[in-house]
Amino acid sequence: MRIQSNEHIEDKELLANFYATNNNMWLGQLLERYTLMLYGVCMKYLKNEEDSRDAVQQVFEKVILELRKYKVDYFKSWVYMVAKNHCLMRLREKGIYFKEITENTISITPAEDARSEAIQKDQELEEVQLALNELNDEQKLCITLFYLQQKSYKEISEASGMDILKVKSHIQNGKRNLKIIMERNSKNE
């Protein structure tokens, strides 16, 4: 049974419902809202699609565990930081260390860092949303189903009536076009 979308409900209310009922349905809706953002964060640091997908799943698992232990007030900025820290830990495990991250961490207090991260994340999410809206309908549909709803090529094909090869093509072209649109938009700022 598919739960009706609650896009009109704010994050705080979904979190409150989760804390009150301990029902993962509320948490699932929050995570679904930010799947594309989390994937973008993971791609930014890991620079690999498969690793990024795995990282998003691991972040989901961490979020589910952590929210049972701690009360979070600002989910969007918190989940962004969870994803960023997860990626940085994975890179450190591989022996990759970012000098600029260390320098920024030393010079910025935690409160300033969280605030600036939240602002930056909001801007990045808006950029992705705007770029997504510039894609043609088929690419937008396939990208949304594949990355946000984590549907397989076959599931997208069945839901949309498109051939699997068309679905793959729309996803590949959509990703490429998203990147081009976002680069173009960042140069125009």
Side-chain angles (χ1 to χ4, degrees), residues 74-183:
Y74 300 101
F75 183 81
K76 208 173 182 185
S77 56
W78 178 77
V79 77
Y80 178 89
M81 292 302 291
V82 169
K84 175 183 172 184
N85 290 337
H86 176 80
C87 292
L88 293 176
M89 290 305 295
R90 286 194 53 187
L91 290 172
R92 286 184 188 125
E93 288 169 4
K94 292 180 177 180
I96 301 169
Y97 190 73
F98 289 99
K99 180 180 175 187
E100 73 273 5
I101 292 171
T102 305
E103 291 171 354
N104 288 340
T105 305
I106 292 170
S107 66
I108 298 175
T109 66
E112 290 172 336
D113 189 35
R115 194 171 28 258
S116 67
E117 289 290 338
I119 291 169
Q120 179 184 357
K121 180 215 41 78
D122 282 342
Q123 289 171 339
E124 289 173 357
L125 184 58
E126 285 180 32
E127 290 170 11
V128 171
Q129 298 274 350
L130 289 172
L132 193 59
N133 287 333
E134 289 187 46
L135 295 178
N136 69 40
D137 291 340
E138 291 87 5
Q139 289 175 0
K140 183 177 177 181
L141 174 67
C142 290
I143 292 283
T144 301
L145 291 175
F146 190 70
Y147 289 106
L148 291 179
Q149 297 182 17
Q150 299 181 329
K151 302 285 186 192
S152 69
Y153 292 142
K154 183 179 179 188
E155 291 171 320
I156 297 170
S157 174
E158 291 170 356
S160 66
M162 287 185 243
D163 175 80
I164 287 181
L165 293 176
K166 279 282 187 199
V167 169
K168 288 180 181 180
S169 175
H170 287 311
I171 291 170
Q172 287 178 335
N173 292 334
K175 277 190 337 188
R176 185 189 70 242
N177 289 337
L178 270 176
K179 182 179 178 184
I180 291 168
I181 292 166
M182 291 181 69
E183 287 174 353

Side-chain angles (χ1 to χ4, degrees), residues 2 15-16 26 39 62 65-67 93-94 97 151 155 163 165 175 177-178 185 188-189:
R2 174 107 171 124
L15 265 179
W26 301 109
Y39 180 73
K62 183 174 179 86
L65 293 173
E66 296 295 313
L67 284 179
E93 288 169 4
K94 292 180 177 180
Y97 190 73
K151 302 285 186 192
E155 291 171 320
D163 175 80
L165 293 176
K175 277 190 337 188
N177 289 337
L178 270 176
N185 291 347
N188 292 338
E189 292 177 351

